[in-house]
Amino acid sequence: MRGSIVRGMGVGALATLLTMSASATGGTGSMDSFIGERATQSQRAHAALQIELALMNAGLESEQRAYRVPNIHWALDLIMPPQTGINVVAQLPASTPSERNIIIGAHYDTVPGSPGADDNASGTYAAIELAERLSELPVRNTNITFVLFDAEEDGAVGSNVFAAEWLASGRPMHSMHNIDMLGYDGNGDGVFDLDAPNGPVADAYLAAADERGIRLVRANFSSSDHVSFRKRGFTAVFLSENLTDGDFNKAYHSPKDTVIDRAYMERGIDLAAGAIEALVAP
Amino acid sequence: MSGGGILLLLTLALWAWRAVDYALIGSLAPLGILAFGAVTLGLGALAKGRWWRSAVRIWGTMMLLAGLARAGLSIALAFDPSVSIHASEAQTAFYHAATALHLVAGIWLIVRPPERPAITRI
């Protein structure tokens, strides 16, 4: 994206901060440690550190990619400062050298005033658990990049920055998999929504759902981080709880978003893992 | 230098800083505003008659509009800060001071434009 600035953090400083973060939260990347408002810059910076710690515990090295970019509309550049944020990125290389790349992403920020359990501590946790599971595969024919996006709630800024940088790099991308809100099943029917273009990627999800006895509803969503990839021509998938059949989480974007249905979420993670495993280890 | 002259220079300096800051990260919108203002003021300074005052009033109007937009954003966020966390966090003392400068300078330059600068023709 225009003007993005990528910077790394020294390993020593990071280790110190991660230790401080772990002792402050009493956790080492457990799901509970992701629940809590992550709206202000300081809250998001703290969350980014927690995510790095969790990825480290999952066995992956990660980096913070800070960005400073123009606003989502040029007119705002006339009266507002640039937007800043941090994407957290971890690489899981293929077991043999490969040019194939899959991106797995979720946003970690919240709207102000919401603890963001369902939106999107659930997706954050899912991405990290997927990192752990996929890293245990003995053979992978695809490089997998895990990205925890900043500022989805402020116009999908983090994912736009990442997708633009990827496009500029010229590297091929097989598909992007966005997980946003995976922790609410009010009617207990166990259904998930899938927005994916017809083809091998959608087929992988449908097959994984069949194998697990999960009903998937095909849907279309024009918001969230996958859109940042689609508008640049990449294949992108959106997996979420059942948002479309009158089972919408009433706590959405509110202070009441404090609970995750863990059993349901784990089924969603298992579904995503099954589909992505089929794509990276056929 | 008159008060109007100082305000004119302050607004130009503020927009020059914004134009460079945004140009470095890929947005040319503030640079476009600055270029329009600079060309208008430059032509106004070189032309004879009342063109200088008109040029200053055009720049003053632009500053007033920018100030009103900044103030409007602040008022909207006071009612609902959750609209945008980025916009909310932008509401710093510097932001409000810059808003005040835009409003004061805009009105001043429209009502009492400074005298045309002395230009030595070579």
Side-chain angles (χ1 to χ4, degrees), chain A residues 222-267:
Chain A
S222 56
S223 63
S224 193
D225 292 312
H226 60 291
V227 177
S228 303
F229 292 82
R230 282 187 184 165
K231 71 185 184 186
R232 291 177 174 85
F234 296 122
T235 298
V237 177
F238 175 72
L239 178 68
S240 74
E241 63 203 28
N242 189 200
L243 300 166
T244 53
D245 286 347
D247 193 21
F248 196 79
N249 189 347
K250 293 178 181 61
Y252 174 69
H253 282 189
S254 84
K256 295 178 181 171
D257 185 9
T258 57
V259 179
I260 291 175
D261 182 335
R262 295 179 185 224
Y264 173 75
M265 181 187 69
E266 287 295 344
R267 282 173 62 77

Short mmCIF file of all heavy atoms in Angstrom, two decimals, chain A residues 222-267:
data_model
loop_
_atom_site.label_atom_id
_atom_site.label_comp_id
_atom_site.label_asym_id
_atom_site.label_seq_id
_atom_site.Cartn_x
_atom_site.Cartn_y
_atom_site.Cartn_z
N SER A 222 -19.51 -8.41 1.91
CA SER A 222 -18.72 -7.38 1.24
C SER A 222 -17.91 -6.54 2.23
O SER A 222 -17.43 -5.46 1.89
CB SER A 222 -19.63 -6.48 0.41
OG SER A 222 -20.63 -5.93 1.25
N SER A 223 -17.82 -7.01 3.48
CA SER A 223 -16.95 -6.31 4.42
C SER A 223 -16.05 -7.34 5.09
O SER A 223 -16.25 -8.53 4.91
CB SER A 223 -17.77 -5.55 5.47
OG SER A 223 -18.53 -6.43 6.23
N SER A 224 -15.10 -6.89 5.83
CA SER A 224 -14.05 -7.66 6.51
C SER A 224 -12.82 -7.77 5.62
O SER A 224 -12.80 -7.30 4.47
CB SER A 224 -14.53 -9.05 6.94
OG SER A 224 -13.57 -9.61 7.86
N ASP A 225 -11.80 -8.40 6.17
CA ASP A 225 -10.46 -8.29 5.58
C ASP A 225 -10.30 -9.02 4.24
O ASP A 225 -9.39 -8.68 3.47
CB ASP A 225 -9.43 -8.81 6.58
CG ASP A 225 -9.32 -7.89 7.79
OD1 ASP A 225 -9.19 -6.68 7.59
OD2 ASP A 225 -9.36 -8.39 8.93
N HIS A 226 -11.12 -10.02 3.95
CA HIS A 226 -10.95 -10.73 2.68
C HIS A 226 -11.19 -9.80 1.48
O HIS A 226 -10.64 -10.00 0.41
CB HIS A 226 -11.89 -11.94 2.61
CG HIS A 226 -13.34 -11.59 2.72
ND1 HIS A 226 -13.90 -11.12 3.89
CD2 HIS A 226 -14.34 -11.61 1.82
CE1 HIS A 226 -15.18 -10.88 3.69
NE2 HIS A 226 -15.48 -11.17 2.43
N VAL A 227 -12.00 -8.76 1.70
CA VAL A 227 -12.31 -7.82 0.60
C VAL A 227 -11.04 -7.10 0.13
O VAL A 227 -10.89 -6.81 -1.06
CB VAL A 227 -13.39 -6.82 1.06
CG1 VAL A 227 -13.68 -5.80 -0.03
CG2 VAL A 227 -14.67 -7.56 1.44
N SER A 228 -10.13 -6.83 1.07
CA SER A 228 -8.87 -6.16 0.71
C SER A 228 -8.09 -6.98 -0.30
O SER A 228 -7.35 -6.43 -1.12
CB SER A 228 -8.01 -5.95 1.96
OG SER A 228 -8.70 -5.23 2.94
N PHE A 229 -8.24 -8.30 -0.25
CA PHE A 229 -7.53 -9.19 -1.18
C PHE A 229 -8.30 -9.35 -2.48
O PHE A 229 -7.73 -9.34 -3.56
CB PHE A 229 -7.29 -10.55 -0.51
CG PHE A 229 -6.31 -10.45 0.64
CD1 PHE A 229 -6.72 -10.03 1.89
CD2 PHE A 229 -4.97 -10.76 0.46
CE1 PHE A 229 -5.82 -9.92 2.94
CE2 PHE A 229 -4.06 -10.65 1.50
CZ PHE A 229 -4.50 -10.22 2.75
N ARG A 230 -9.61 -9.51 -2.36
CA ARG A 230 -10.42 -9.69 -3.57
C ARG A 230 -10.31 -8.50 -4.51
O ARG A 230 -10.26 -8.65 -5.72
CB ARG A 230 -11.89 -9.91 -3.18
CG ARG A 230 -12.15 -11.31 -2.71
CD ARG A 230 -13.62 -11.53 -2.49
NE ARG A 230 -13.81 -12.87 -1.93
CZ ARG A 230 -14.93 -13.27 -1.38
NH1 ARG A 230 -15.96 -12.46 -1.31
NH2 ARG A 230 -15.02 -14.49 -0.89
N LYS A 231 -10.31 -7.31 -3.94
CA LYS A 231 -10.29 -6.13 -4.82
C LYS A 231 -8.95 -5.98 -5.52
O LYS A 231 -8.83 -5.17 -6.44
CB LYS A 231 -10.69 -4.87 -4.06
CG LYS A 231 -9.69 -4.35 -3.06
CD LYS A 231 -10.33 -3.16 -2.32
CE LYS A 231 -9.35 -2.52 -1.37
NZ LYS A 231 -9.99 -1.47 -0.54
N ARG A 232 -7.97 -6.77 -5.11
CA ARG A 232 -6.67 -6.76 -5.82
C ARG A 232 -6.50 -8.02 -6.67
O ARG A 232 -5.40 -8.32 -7.13
CB ARG A 232 -5.54 -6.63 -4.80
CG ARG A 232 -5.52 -5.26 -4.14
CD ARG A 232 -4.46 -5.11 -3.08
NE ARG A 232 -4.42 -3.73 -2.62
CZ ARG A 232 -5.20 -3.22 -1.67
NH1 ARG A 232 -6.09 -3.99 -1.07
NH2 ARG A 232 -5.11 -1.95 -1.32
N GLY A 233 -7.60 -8.76 -6.83
CA GLY A 233 -7.59 -9.88 -7.75
C GLY A 233 -7.20 -11.21 -7.14
O GLY A 233 -7.06 -12.20 -7.86
N PHE A 234 -7.02 -11.28 -5.83
CA PHE A 234 -6.66 -12.54 -5.19
C PHE A 234 -7.92 -13.35 -4.85
O PHE A 234 -8.99 -12.79 -4.61
CB PHE A 234 -5.88 -12.29 -3.89
CG PHE A 234 -4.56 -11.61 -4.09
CD1 PHE A 234 -4.28 -10.39 -3.48
CD2 PHE A 234 -3.57 -12.19 -4.88
CE1 PHE A 234 -3.06 -9.76 -3.65
CE2 PHE A 234 -2.34 -11.56 -5.06
CZ PHE A 234 -2.08 -10.34 -4.44
N THR A 235 -7.75 -14.66 -4.81
CA THR A 235 -8.84 -15.53 -4.34
C THR A 235 -8.88 -15.44 -2.82
O THR A 235 -7.87 -15.69 -2.15
CB THR A 235 -8.58 -16.99 -4.77
OG1 THR A 235 -8.56 -17.05 -6.19
CG2 THR A 235 -9.65 -17.92 -4.22
N ALA A 236 -10.04 -15.10 -2.28
CA ALA A 236 -10.14 -14.94 -0.82
C ALA A 236 -11.41 -15.58 -0.30
O ALA A 236 -12.46 -15.52 -0.94
CB ALA A 236 -10.10 -13.46 -0.44
N VAL A 237 -11.29 -16.19 0.87
CA VAL A 237 -12.38 -16.93 1.50
C VAL A 237 -12.73 -16.25 2.82
O VAL A 237 -11.84 -15.76 3.53
CB VAL A 237 -11.92 -18.38 1.79
CG1 VAL A 237 -13.00 -19.16 2.51
CG2 VAL A 237 -11.50 -19.07 0.51
N PHE A 238 -14.01 -16.25 3.15
CA PHE A 238 -14.45 -15.70 4.43
C PHE A 238 -15.21 -16.79 5.17
O PHE A 238 -16.22 -17.31 4.68
CB PHE A 238 -15.37 -14.50 4.17
CG PHE A 238 -16.00 -13.90 5.39
CD1 PHE A 238 -15.26 -13.17 6.30
CD2 PHE A 238 -17.37 -14.05 5.63
CE1 PHE A 238 -15.85 -12.60 7.43
CE2 PHE A 238 -17.97 -13.49 6.75
CZ PHE A 238 -17.20 -12.76 7.65
N LEU A 239 -14.70 -17.17 6.33
CA LEU A 239 -15.37 -18.18 7.16
C LEU A 239 -15.82 -17.52 8.45
O LEU A 239 -15.04 -16.84 9.12
CB LEU A 239 -14.40 -19.33 7.47
CG LEU A 239 -14.97 -20.45 8.37
CD1 LEU A 239 -16.06 -21.24 7.65
CD2 LEU A 239 -13.86 -21.39 8.84
N SER A 240 -17.09 -17.76 8.80
CA SER A 240 -17.61 -17.14 10.03
C SER A 240 -18.71 -18.00 10.62
O SER A 240 -19.16 -18.98 10.01
CB SER A 240 -18.18 -15.75 9.72
OG SER A 240 -19.42 -15.87 9.05
N GLU A 241 -19.17 -17.60 11.78
CA GLU A 241 -20.37 -18.18 12.35
C GLU A 241 -21.55 -17.90 11.41
O GLU A 241 -21.42 -17.11 10.47
CB GLU A 241 -20.62 -17.60 13.74
CG GLU A 241 -20.87 -16.09 13.70
CD GLU A 241 -20.55 -15.41 15.03
OE1 GLU A 241 -19.69 -15.90 15.78
OE2 GLU A 241 -21.18 -14.36 15.29
N ASN A 242 -22.68 -18.46 11.72
CA ASN A 242 -23.85 -18.32 10.85
C ASN A 242 -24.47 -16.92 11.03
O ASN A 242 -25.33 -16.71 11.89
CB ASN A 242 -24.86 -19.41 11.19
CG ASN A 242 -26.00 -19.48 10.21
OD1 ASN A 242 -27.05 -20.02 10.52
ND2 ASN A 242 -25.83 -18.96 9.02
N LEU A 243 -24.03 -16.00 10.19
CA LEU A 243 -24.48 -14.62 10.32
C LEU A 243 -25.76 -14.35 9.53
O LEU A 243 -26.39 -13.32 9.71
CB LEU A 243 -23.39 -13.67 9.79
CG LEU A 243 -22.03 -13.73 10.50
CD1 LEU A 243 -20.96 -13.01 9.68
CD2 LEU A 243 -22.11 -13.13 11.89
N THR A 244 -26.13 -15.29 8.68
CA THR A 244 -27.15 -14.98 7.68
C THR A 244 -28.54 -15.55 7.94
O THR A 244 -29.49 -15.14 7.30
CB THR A 244 -26.69 -15.49 6.30
OG1 THR A 244 -26.35 -16.87 6.41
CG2 THR A 244 -25.49 -14.70 5.79
N ASP A 245 -28.69 -16.48 8.87
CA ASP A 245 -29.99 -17.15 9.04
C ASP A 245 -30.72 -16.69 10.30
O ASP A 245 -31.31 -17.49 11.02
CB ASP A 245 -29.80 -18.68 9.10
CG ASP A 245 -29.48 -19.26 7.73
OD1 ASP A 245 -29.66 -18.53 6.75
OD2 ASP A 245 -29.07 -20.42 7.66
N GLY A 246 -30.66 -15.44 10.60
CA GLY A 246 -31.34 -14.92 11.78
C GLY A 246 -30.70 -15.32 13.08
O GLY A 246 -31.35 -15.27 14.14
N ASP A 247 -29.43 -15.72 13.02
CA ASP A 247 -28.73 -16.15 14.24
C ASP A 247 -27.59 -15.18 14.53
O ASP A 247 -26.50 -15.59 14.95
CB ASP A 247 -28.19 -17.58 14.05
CG ASP A 247 -27.74 -18.19 15.36
OD1 ASP A 247 -28.20 -17.71 16.42
OD2 ASP A 247 -26.92 -19.12 15.33
N PHE A 248 -27.83 -13.92 14.28
CA PHE A 248 -26.78 -12.91 14.46
C PHE A 248 -26.55 -12.62 15.94
O PHE A 248 -27.49 -12.55 16.72
CB PHE A 248 -27.18 -11.63 13.72
CG PHE A 248 -26.04 -10.67 13.52
CD1 PHE A 248 -25.12 -10.87 12.50
CD2 PHE A 248 -25.88 -9.58 14.35
CE1 PHE A 248 -24.07 -9.99 12.31
CE2 PHE A 248 -24.83 -8.69 14.17
CZ PHE A 248 -23.92 -8.90 13.15
N ASN A 249 -25.31 -12.47 16.31
CA ASN A 249 -24.93 -12.22 17.71
C ASN A 249 -25.42 -10.83 18.15
O ASN A 249 -24.95 -9.81 17.63
CB ASN A 249 -23.41 -12.32 17.84
CG ASN A 249 -22.96 -12.30 19.30
OD1 ASN A 249 -23.74 -11.98 20.20
ND2 ASN A 249 -21.71 -12.65 19.52
N LYS A 250 -26.34 -10.81 19.12
CA LYS A 250 -26.90 -9.52 19.57
C LYS A 250 -25.88 -8.69 20.33
O LYS A 250 -26.08 -7.50 20.56
CB LYS A 250 -28.14 -9.77 20.43
CG LYS A 250 -29.31 -10.36 19.65
CD LYS A 250 -30.50 -10.62 20.55
CE LYS A 250 -31.65 -11.22 19.75
NZ LYS A 250 -31.31 -12.52 19.13
N ALA A 251 -24.78 -9.34 20.75
CA ALA A 251 -23.73 -8.61 21.48
C ALA A 251 -22.72 -7.96 20.55
O ALA A 251 -21.77 -7.32 21.00
CB ALA A 251 -23.01 -9.55 22.43
N TYR A 252 -22.94 -8.11 19.23
CA TYR A 252 -22.02 -7.58 18.23
C TYR A 252 -21.72 -6.10 18.46
O TYR A 252 -22.64 -5.30 18.66
CB TYR A 252 -22.65 -7.78 16.85
CG TYR A 252 -21.91 -7.18 15.68
CD1 TYR A 252 -20.69 -7.67 15.27
CD2 TYR A 252 -22.47 -6.11 14.97
CE1 TYR A 252 -20.02 -7.13 14.18
CE2 TYR A 252 -21.82 -5.56 13.88
CZ TYR A 252 -20.59 -6.07 13.49
OH TYR A 252 -19.94 -5.53 12.41
N HIS A 253 -20.45 -5.77 18.51
CA HIS A 253 -19.97 -4.40 18.67
C HIS A 253 -20.52 -3.72 19.93
O HIS A 253 -20.78 -2.51 19.93
CB HIS A 253 -20.32 -3.54 17.44
CG HIS A 253 -19.39 -3.78 16.28
ND1 HIS A 253 -19.38 -3.03 15.15
CD2 HIS A 253 -18.40 -4.71 16.10
CE1 HIS A 253 -18.45 -3.48 14.31
NE2 HIS A 253 -17.85 -4.51 14.87
N SER A 254 -20.72 -4.51 20.98
CA SER A 254 -21.24 -3.93 22.21
C SER A 254 -20.39 -4.39 23.40
O SER A 254 -19.60 -5.33 23.27
CB SER A 254 -22.70 -4.37 22.43
OG SER A 254 -22.74 -5.65 23.06
N PRO A 255 -20.57 -3.75 24.55
CA PRO A 255 -19.81 -4.18 25.74
C PRO A 255 -20.19 -5.60 26.18
O PRO A 255 -19.49 -6.19 27.01
CB PRO A 255 -20.23 -3.16 26.80
CG PRO A 255 -20.72 -1.98 26.04
CD PRO A 255 -21.34 -2.52 24.79
N LYS A 256 -21.28 -6.15 25.62
CA LYS A 256 -21.72 -7.49 26.02
C LYS A 256 -21.02 -8.60 25.24
O LYS A 256 -21.29 -9.78 25.49
CB LYS A 256 -23.24 -7.60 25.83
CG LYS A 256 -24.02 -6.68 26.75
CD LYS A 256 -25.51 -6.81 26.48
CE LYS A 256 -26.30 -5.86 27.39
NZ LYS A 256 -27.72 -5.80 27.02
N ASP A 257 -20.15 -8.24 24.33
CA ASP A 257 -19.45 -9.27 23.54
C ASP A 257 -18.31 -9.85 24.39
O ASP A 257 -17.14 -9.56 24.16
CB ASP A 257 -18.93 -8.67 22.23
CG ASP A 257 -18.30 -9.73 21.32
OD1 ASP A 257 -18.44 -10.93 21.63
OD2 ASP A 257 -17.68 -9.34 20.32
N THR A 258 -18.69 -10.68 25.35
CA THR A 258 -17.72 -11.18 26.33
C THR A 258 -17.57 -12.70 26.30
O THR A 258 -16.71 -13.24 27.00
CB THR A 258 -18.13 -10.79 27.76
OG1 THR A 258 -19.45 -11.30 28.01
CG2 THR A 258 -18.14 -9.27 27.94
N VAL A 259 -18.42 -13.36 25.52
CA VAL A 259 -18.47 -14.83 25.62
C VAL A 259 -18.17 -15.48 24.27
O VAL A 259 -18.62 -14.99 23.23
CB VAL A 259 -19.87 -15.29 26.10
CG1 VAL A 259 -19.94 -16.81 26.18
CG2 VAL A 259 -20.18 -14.67 27.45
N ILE A 260 -17.43 -16.57 24.32
CA ILE A 260 -17.19 -17.39 23.13
C ILE A 260 -17.73 -18.79 23.39
O ILE A 260 -17.45 -19.38 24.44
CB ILE A 260 -15.68 -17.45 22.80
CG1 ILE A 260 -15.19 -16.08 22.33
CG2 ILE A 260 -15.41 -18.51 21.74
CD1 ILE A 260 -13.69 -16.02 22.09
N ASP A 261 -18.50 -19.30 22.46
CA ASP A 261 -18.95 -20.70 22.52
C ASP A 261 -17.76 -21.55 22.04
O ASP A 261 -17.55 -21.73 20.85
CB ASP A 261 -20.16 -20.87 21.60
CG ASP A 261 -20.74 -22.29 21.65
OD1 ASP A 261 -19.97 -23.23 21.98
OD2 ASP A 261 -21.93 -22.45 21.33
N ARG A 262 -17.03 -22.07 23.02
CA ARG A 262 -15.75 -22.71 22.68
C ARG A 262 -15.91 -23.98 21.87
O ARG A 262 -15.14 -24.24 20.95
CB ARG A 262 -14.96 -22.98 23.96
CG ARG A 262 -14.58 -21.68 24.65
CD ARG A 262 -13.83 -21.91 25.92
NE ARG A 262 -13.62 -20.62 26.57
CZ ARG A 262 -12.50 -20.22 27.11
NH1 ARG A 262 -11.45 -21.00 27.11
NH2 ARG A 262 -12.40 -19.04 27.68
N ALA A 263 -16.91 -24.78 22.21
CA ALA A 263 -17.10 -26.04 21.49
C ALA A 263 -17.43 -25.76 20.02
O ALA A 263 -16.89 -26.39 19.11
CB ALA A 263 -18.20 -26.86 22.14
N TYR A 264 -18.30 -24.79 19.82
CA TYR A 264 -18.69 -24.41 18.45
C TYR A 264 -17.48 -23.85 17.70
O TYR A 264 -17.21 -24.20 16.54
CB TYR A 264 -19.81 -23.37 18.53
CG TYR A 264 -20.20 -22.74 17.22
CD1 TYR A 264 -20.95 -23.43 16.27
CD2 TYR A 264 -19.84 -21.42 16.93
CE1 TYR A 264 -21.31 -22.83 15.08
CE2 TYR A 264 -20.19 -20.81 15.74
CZ TYR A 264 -20.93 -21.52 14.82
OH TYR A 264 -21.29 -20.93 13.63
N MET A 265 -16.73 -22.98 18.37
CA MET A 265 -15.55 -22.39 17.74
C MET A 265 -14.54 -23.47 17.34
O MET A 265 -13.96 -23.41 16.24
CB MET A 265 -14.89 -21.38 18.68
CG MET A 265 -13.66 -20.71 18.08
SD MET A 265 -12.78 -19.67 19.27
CE MET A 265 -12.11 -20.95 20.34
N GLU A 266 -14.35 -24.45 18.21
CA GLU A 266 -13.38 -25.51 17.91
C GLU A 266 -13.82 -26.30 16.68
O GLU A 266 -12.98 -26.75 15.89
CB GLU A 266 -13.20 -26.44 19.11
CG GLU A 266 -12.40 -25.83 20.26
CD GLU A 266 -10.94 -25.51 19.91
OE1 GLU A 266 -10.43 -26.03 18.90
OE2 GLU A 266 -10.32 -24.73 20.65
N ARG A 267 -15.13 -26.46 16.51
CA ARG A 267 -15.62 -27.15 15.30
C ARG A 267 -15.31 -26.31 14.06
O ARG A 267 -14.95 -26.84 13.00
CB ARG A 267 -17.13 -27.41 15.40
CG ARG A 267 -17.47 -28.60 16.30
CD ARG A 267 -18.98 -28.74 16.52
NE ARG A 267 -19.76 -29.00 15.30
CZ ARG A 267 -19.83 -30.17 14.70
NH1 ARG A 267 -19.18 -31.21 15.17
NH2 ARG A 267 -20.59 -30.31 13.62
#
